Each structure stands twice: as structure tokens, then as C-alpha cells.
Amino acid sequence: MILRKTWQRTALWLGIGWSLWWSVLLSELPLIQHLDLSQSDRLIRLNHPRTSPPEIVLVTITEEDLKTWGLANEPIIYSNLVNRLLDAGAAVVVLNLLPNWVQTSDRPNNPIETLVQRYSSRIVLVLPTSSATQPNPTEWRNYEYFLPLTNKGKPLFSPQSILGFAEYEPEAKYPQSVRSTARQANLSGQFTLTRNLDRIQPLDSAALLTLKKFKPQQQPLRTPQTPIQIHFWGATGTFPTLEAQSVLSNNSSFPQVGNKIVLVGFSETNNPDAFAVCSPFGELMPAVELQANLLASLLTGSFYQIVPIWLQKALIVLGGILISQWIVFGKLDSPVRKRYWYWLYPVLGLSGFSLVSVVLFGQGWILPITLLLATWTATGVSVFISLLLGVQKDSIDQQQCEIDRLHSIEQAAAIFQAKKMLRRIAANIHEGPLQELKLVMDRLEILQCNIGVVNLDPILERLENLGHHLRQQLNQARAITLEITPELKAGLDAGIRAKLQQLVNSGELTLRVVQQLQPLQEPESNSLWLEAREDIYHFFCEAINNVIRHAQLPHGTATEVQVSLCQQDRHCTLTIENDGAKLDPSVFELSTMPTKRGGFGMKLMKMIASELPNGILECVALPEGGMRVQLSWNQAFNELKYQLF
């Protein structure tokens, strides 16, 4: 029961952790975003309305119209077109202007400015901009020059009452996410004036500002602050359309624009000023039609919103918890219970997820299904692998505990054997040398009683033999003890550092010392490592003494010695390197040539290397001068300790 609760608690935290981690990782994955976009576009194509709202009419301008008008006359003819539409009874006219008109807008006779001054309550100027969700306010592209001024140079109307932004990004031609400007729109944003960059003003989107002017008596329905998903009414050509040239050339009235919202813009998708985007129906759609779909979404209140991030995270975590408990349920419960209850978790989870999705969709919220399903799948695999590794680790830990228990028994036996050996040595001393000593003392007492000439040679001989026997017994006792160098108790790196400081303080080492000493992962209370550490320390002392005797002035030309100690995984390396002149390797007693034999120091260093796990000794004469002595070994003394018993 305790084990079951432990695994359930572990799986709970694994489910929470893995679900959050995978949600962050997968949310930025282009494949996931593209799958969500494809799913959304498929729903739009299947469920789009057949009839567009009758309140919206488009007036399109082509490249041929612009060539016919001429560059200098474009603003004037454009103004005449809008006047015709307003005279025909259009309620609100939304104008998509050409950016190059800004260069000629400061003329004394600005037709667009005059148009705005006369029909300020029925005109909306579209301000093209990038995504309004950027952290820094977007700069107006000089569209404020179309706003009329008073005699004192102040705006006659507030910019918020005339200008409305429309978002567009080049990626909208090839959208990869439902949050692209080709699918999602903001209804408000922060902007800065070109003439005064420090001044930040809020602006409504062109669609929202148009709706406010079209229905001034009531507030537009459902205008949230968060971005909304555009509800498309069909492919290109869905809304009623008039050509600009026919409006200008026909002197009759246009009843089809009466009391309607008229959007004027460029219809040719190959024209860069049309700001074309890719529609859910797979074709390019000019910005004026995208604005019409957004405006129709607001008019009918049929738009959707993406579920907030915090709610997505909550659903992801809840699903991760259910999946983790389902996995634990399958691993711990009996087969009889599995047969009836094992599939209850996924059935309940999928049912609850479907119910939440339907409820949210009915309230106008879209839940990104692809991200949730991918996150839950990855979470389930991760939790299963983590639990599997945990079970294996527990099994290994139990085996290790058993090994430690057996080793403790062996250690106790070894200690008992050592005590028995010490008692035996004490008994030998008592029965041998001490008895001899007693006899000598008896003879001395007899000598004290018998005054006369006495031969002392037998007594002296007995005393000499006694000293010899005592020396043998003491040597045996000393052989079973382990002496630890005090400097090494804090670690091998601390002992080497202390030795170097001692040599520098005493004046024996006059070279500049560069230390790169990394503390090793030393096994605690391991007699094999304690003995090996002493040997490695003696190796270092021998190597640094060679540097002092052969590379340091006056015997050599070295100016620096580098001492490094490092560990990577279980591989450890001790390196002593100097920068002296090029020397014959035999000077350092290095038996690198087949015909040479090393001295005592080199033999000691080789013997130390051979006794270490995978110990390797390398002695290299550097091309630029100097010598490098390197000892490497594996820090595997725990394994060796168990193998020895």
C-alpha cells in the first residue's frame, strides 16, 4: 500500500512536470502550429456561411485604373470616386490609400484632406501596419498628413476618429499559424505619431472604427481586447463588388450602396499595395476583402477567440495527471481489476475533453486540439519511460543495498580477523620475548645475591635476541596499519596545493606555478582509494622534484610549471608540465627509448601507474621545449573494492 501511494505521488509530479515541459517545447514547433492552422481552415471551408452580410459592398481599383488616371491625378480622382459614393447614400466609406500619395499630400490643395474635412463622420482611413501585438508601439506612416488642421495648426479632428489600422505581414501570403494576420486580428493597438515619437495614442482597427460610425447609437456587439479569429464568408468575390471605373463613368445613381458600408481598395493580388493574404480556401485574397470578412464578423458577432494560454496550460496539466495515473494504474493493479477498470481513465479523459471543447466552441472559443493531443502523447511516453527507469533504479538500489550489507559483514569479518592477528602477536610477544626477559631478570636477581665473578655474556646474548624478536613483532604490527598523509585528508587536490605552497615558501621551487586543480569525486572510507591516493601523491612529489632538479635554474631554463588535476566522468588526469629548453628525455629518467633504462624515480612512477585502474603514464618532450608528465586512471575504486572480496 505504501509502495502504491509512493508511485502514485511520483507519477503525479512526473505528469505535471512533463506536460508543462512538452507544452512549452511543442507550442513553438512549426509543425504543430501548421497542423492547427490546417484544422482551422478545414472547419472554415466546411462550415462557412453561404450568404455574406448585405450591409457590405466593395469598390475595387485595378492597376489599369491607376494608369488611366495618371500619378498626379490619382488623389483627385480617388476623391471624386468617394464623393460619388457618399452622394449615392453610402453610410460609411473605408479608404485604402496608396502609400506614395503621402509624398504629395502636403500640397496646399490636398483632396483627401478636403474629403475628410467634409465627411469626417462617414469616412475611415485605413492605416496599414504590422501586427499590433508587438511590444513596441508602431509608428504611423505619415497618414496624419491627410488630417485637416485648424488655423493654429492643431488637428481639426482627433486621429482616433479618422484613422483605423489594418494589420498585414509578408508572412500572411504563406501563413503557418492561426495567429497569423491572415487569420487573426486585433481590435485595438498603440501607435506613435511620426512628428512626435514620444506620444503614444491608442487606435481602433479600421473594422471596429467603421462599425462604430455605422451604428453610432449602440456599441458594437462583442468587441474583446484580445485578438479574434476572422470568420470568412467564402473565397475571393463573395461580397458584392463594384468597379471604380464604372462608378466614375456612370452618371446614374447607385442604389446598391445606399445605407451600406463601402470598402474601397485594390483588387489585383499581384499588386504589392493590395497587401494580399492567403485565404482558408487556398487562394490569395486582397486586403480589402480581408477587411470585409473582419467587418462582417463584427457585424454578426460570429467571430471566435483562441482559448487563453492559462486555460490551455490547465487542461494540459489535468490531462498529464490523468495519463500519469492511468500508467501507474496499469503497472500496479492486478489483471482482474485491469480487465474492468483499466480503460476507464482514457474513456473519462476523452469524454471530458470532448465536452470541454464543445462547451468552449459554443461560447465562441477555439481550443488548439493538435497541441493538446501532441503534448499528452509525449507526456504519456515520458512518464512511462521515467517510471520504467525508476523501477529499474529501485531494483539496482536494492541490489546495491544487499551488496553493501554483505560488504559490511565482510568488513566485520576482516576487523575480527585483524583483532585475532593482533591478539596472536601479543600472545607471541608474551610467550616468547617477555618470557626471555623474565629469565634475564631472574638471572640478574641471582647475580645480586651471589657476589663474585660472573660471566655476563649469556645475559647479553639473551638481551640481543630479545631485541631482535621484539623488532620482528613490531614490524608485523606496523605492516597491518595504514598511515594517511595529513595534507591529503581534505582531498588529493588540497594535498598537491599544500605541497606546492610548501615548496614555494621554502625556496626549493622558484618557477612561476600555474595551478588548475579540480576536486575529484573521491569515494569515502575506501581503503583502496586511500592507498592509491598516497601513491598518486608520491607520483606528484617525484615528478615535481624532477622539475626542480632538471628544469629549474641553474640546471635548466624553465620559467613556468603547470600542474593540473581534472576529472571527466570517471577518467582522471594529473599533469605536470614545464616550458624549459628541449632536453634529452633520458635527463628525466624517462625510458622512452628501447635501449635506455629508467632510474629509480621513473620505475616508481611506472609502478604506481601500473597499480591504478587503467593507469597510463605518458612522458612527452614538447616540440617548443619542456616536458609533460601525465598520469591518467579511472576512478573505479568502489568496483575494485567489491571485486577483491
Side-chain angles (χ1 to χ4, degrees):
M1 189 66 180
I2 297 177
L3 180 62
R4 176 185 175 86
K5 291 183 178 180
T6 301
W7 279 112
Q8 287 179 338
R9 186 163 50 250
T10 302
L12 173 66
W13 289 112
L14 285 174
I16 295 174
W18 278 117
S19 60
L20 290 175
W21 190 84
W22 280 114
S23 66
V24 173
L25 183 65
L26 296 178
S27 62
E28 301 299 328
L29 195 65
L31 177 61
I32 299 297
Q33 298 180 359
H34 186 68
L35 290 175
D36 277 332
L37 175 64
S38 300
Q39 177 191 1
S40 175
D41 289 349
R42 191 178 299 110
L43 291 175
I44 290 175
R45 291 192 297 268
L46 293 175
N47 302 319
H48 72 278
R50 302 302 176 185
T51 305
S52 60
E55 295 90 348
I56 301 175
V57 177
L58 304 183
V59 175
T60 59
I61 301 173
T62 64
E63 186 70 25
E64 189 64 28
D65 295 335
L66 298 178
K67 292 180 180 179
T68 303
W69 297 348
L71 180 61
N73 297 323
E74 285 178 1
I76 299 176
I77 298 177
Y78 197 91
S79 176
N80 294 336
L81 172 65
V82 176
N83 277 310
R84 291 292 305 274
L85 295 172
L86 292 173
D87 292 341
V92 181
V93 178
V94 182
L95 309 179
N96 290 273
L97 305 179
L98 284 173
N100 61 347
W101 292 358
V102 175
Q103 301 174 2
T104 60
S105 61
D106 55 352
R107 298 180 303 177
N109 184 16
N110 187 340
I112 304 300
E113 180 181 340
T114 303
L115 188 67
V116 172
Q117 185 172 358
R118 290 179 57 189
Y119 303 102
S120 60
S121 61
R122 301 170 63 189
I123 286 181
V124 174
L125 299 183
V126 177
L127 174 66
T129 182
S130 58
S131 176
T133 57
Q134 294 179 352
N136 298 323
T138 306
E139 180 183 350
W140 293 358
R141 297 174 54 187
N142 293 333
Y143 277 71
E144 58 184 319
Y145 292 119
F146 294 119
L147 304 179
L149 303 176
T150 63
N151 296 332
K152 296 182 179 181
K154 295 183 178 181
L156 186 62
F157 309 104
S158 64
Q160 294 91 334
S161 64
I162 305 298
L163 293 175
F165 68 87
E167 299 169 290
Y168 175 80
E169 293 176 331
E171 295 82 1
K173 284 189 175 182
Y174 311 98
Q176 298 295 321
S177 169
V178 293
R179 291 180 171 82
S180 169
T181 52
R183 301 290 183 272
Q184 180 175 277
N186 289 277
L187 300 182
S188 61
Q190 300 290 330
F191 294 81
T192 59
L193 294 169
T194 303
R195 295 177 179 175
N196 188 2
L197 297 179
D198 296 333
R199 183 180 179 185
I200 300 177
Q201 291 191 4
L203 282 185
D204 292 331
S205 67
L208 180 59
L209 181 59
T210 301
L211 190 58
K212 289 180 178 180
K213 291 189 175 184
F214 183 66
K215 295 182 177 180
Q217 294 83 9
Q218 63 182 20
Q219 287 287 42
L221 299 177
R222 298 177 63 189
T223 55
Q225 298 297 321
T226 56
I228 65 172
Q229 296 295 309
I230 302 174
H231 194 80
F232 288 86
W233 262 255
T236 302
T238 301
F239 292 88
T241 304
L242 296 174
E243 295 182 356
Q245 194 61 32
S246 64
V247 175
L248 291 171
S249 60
N250 194 346
N251 294 326
S252 61
S253 61
F254 303 96
Q256 58 266 46
V257 301
N259 199 28
K260 302 290 180 63
I261 299 174
V262 181
L263 290 90
V264 182
F266 311 99
S267 60
E268 295 177 336
T269 55
N270 58 352
N271 186 343
D273 294 323
F275 300 113
V277 302
C278 181
S279 72
F281 301 90
E283 59 182 3
L284 290 179
M285 176 181 290
V288 65
E289 291 200 42
L290 184 69
Q291 297 165 17
N293 282 281
L294 175 58
L295 183 58
S297 300
L298 295 178
L299 274 171
T300 59
S302 56
F303 57 84
Y304 291 94
Q305 294 175 265
I306 300 295
V307 170
I309 298 296
W310 67 266
L311 183 54
Q312 294 183 39
K313 297 293 184 183
L315 292 175
I316 287 173
V317 170
L318 181 60
I321 293 174
L322 291 177
I323 290 173
S324 63
Q325 297 303 310
W326 178 52
I327 294 174
V328 173
F329 187 85
K331 291 182 69 66
L332 298 182
D333 280 9
S334 62
V336 177
R337 294 189 62 185
K338 287 183 187 178
R339 186 169 54 190
Y340 297 104
W341 304 102
Y342 180 66
W343 296 105
L344 183 61
Y345 276 93
V347 170
L348 291 177
L350 292 177
S351 301
F353 173 68
S354 302
L355 179 61
V356 170
S357 300
V358 171
V359 172
L360 290 174
F361 190 78
Q363 298 297 321
W365 295 94
I366 297 178
L367 185 63
I369 300 177
T370 306
L371 176 61
L372 269 69
L373 294 179
T375 301
W376 290 339
T377 302
T379 300
V381 174
S382 301
V383 171
F384 178 78
I385 294 176
S386 300
L387 291 177
L388 185 62
L389 294 176
V391 171
Q392 293 179 351
K393 183 178 181 301
D394 283 351
S395 177
I396 294 174
D397 290 342
Q398 291 177 2
Q399 294 176 2
Q400 187 65 40
C401 290
E402 182 64 18
I403 293 174
D404 291 341
R405 187 182 68 83
L406 295 175
H407 181 61
S408 298
I409 296 174
E410 292 172 353
Q411 282 185 332
I415 294 173
F416 178 77
Q417 185 67 21
K419 291 181 178 180
K420 186 162 54 174
M421 290 177 61
L422 291 175
R423 285 196 298 267
R424 185 174 300 168
I425 293 173
N428 291 336
I429 294 175
H430 181 269
E431 295 173 0
L434 289 182
Q435 293 297 329
E436 293 290 335
L437 180 60
K438 185 177 183 302
L439 292 176
V440 171
M441 294 177 64
D442 292 342
R443 294 290 298 273
L444 290 177
E445 290 179 358
I446 294 173
L447 287 176
Q448 288 179 352
C449 297
N450 301 326
I451 301 174
V453 179
V454 180
N455 185 11
L456 298 179
D457 291 337
I459 298 177
L460 295 177
E461 184 179 353
R462 287 289 187 90
L463 289 176
E464 184 178 356
N465 292 333
L466 175 62
H468 178 69
H469 289 307
L470 287 175
R471 219 175 283 114
Q472 285 182 341
Q473 299 297 334
L474 291 176
N475 288 336
Q476 293 179 12
R478 189 181 296 113
I480 64 173
T481 61
L482 176 63
E483 296 181 358
I484 300 177
T485 303
E487 292 82 358
L488 294 179
K489 291 184 177 180
L492 180 59
D493 60 307
I496 294 176
R497 190 177 293 108
K499 181 64 176 179
L500 288 172
Q501 188 63 40
Q502 177 186 354
L503 293 174
V504 172
N505 294 340
S506 64
E508 295 183 57
L509 181 60
T510 59
L511 302 178
R512 188 169 73 92
V513 180
V514 178
Q515 303 181 34
Q516 295 179 349
L517 302 175
Q518 172 188 347
L520 304 182
Q521 297 178 2
E522 302 186 11
E524 299 180 358
S525 302
N526 189 311
S527 60
L528 294 177
W529 165 244
L530 296 179
E531 295 175 6
R533 186 172 63 181
E534 295 286 337
D535 292 339
I536 297 171
Y537 180 72
H538 292 323
F539 178 96
F540 163 73
C541 294
E542 185 64 30
I544 199 68
N545 287 334
N546 280 342
V547 173
I548 295 174
R549 288 196 301 267
H550 301 292
Q552 181 176 278
L553 290 175
H555 308 289
T557 61
T559 61
E560 177 182 281
V561 60
Q562 297 183 7
V563 180
S564 64
L565 177 66
C566 62
Q567 178 177 357
Q568 185 175 7
D569 294 334
R570 296 195 305 178
H571 184 73
C572 301
T573 304
L574 172 63
T575 306
I576 300 94
E577 179 179 324
N578 68 85
D579 62 347
K582 294 183 179 179
L583 298 174
D584 186 352
S586 62
V587 175
F588 274 81
E589 302 178 338
L590 307 176
S591 56
T592 57
M593 302 297 292
T595 59
K596 294 283 185 179
R597 286 193 176 183
F600 176 76
M602 188 58 194
K603 290 181 179 178
L604 176 62
M605 296 164 71
K606 284 185 176 180
M607 183 181 64
I608 292 174
S610 65
E611 294 178 351
L612 294 174
N614 295 333
I616 298 176
L617 171 62
E618 296 181 5
C619 303
V620 181
L622 302 177
E624 63 275 11
M627 298 293 297
R628 178 192 297 130
V629 178
Q630 182 171 291
L631 174 65
S632 59
W633 70 93
N634 277 353
Q635 198 77 344
F637 294 94
N638 286 329
E639 291 84 349
L640 290 177
K641 181 174 64 174
Y642 296 137
Q643 292 173 5
L644 289 177
F645 287 98

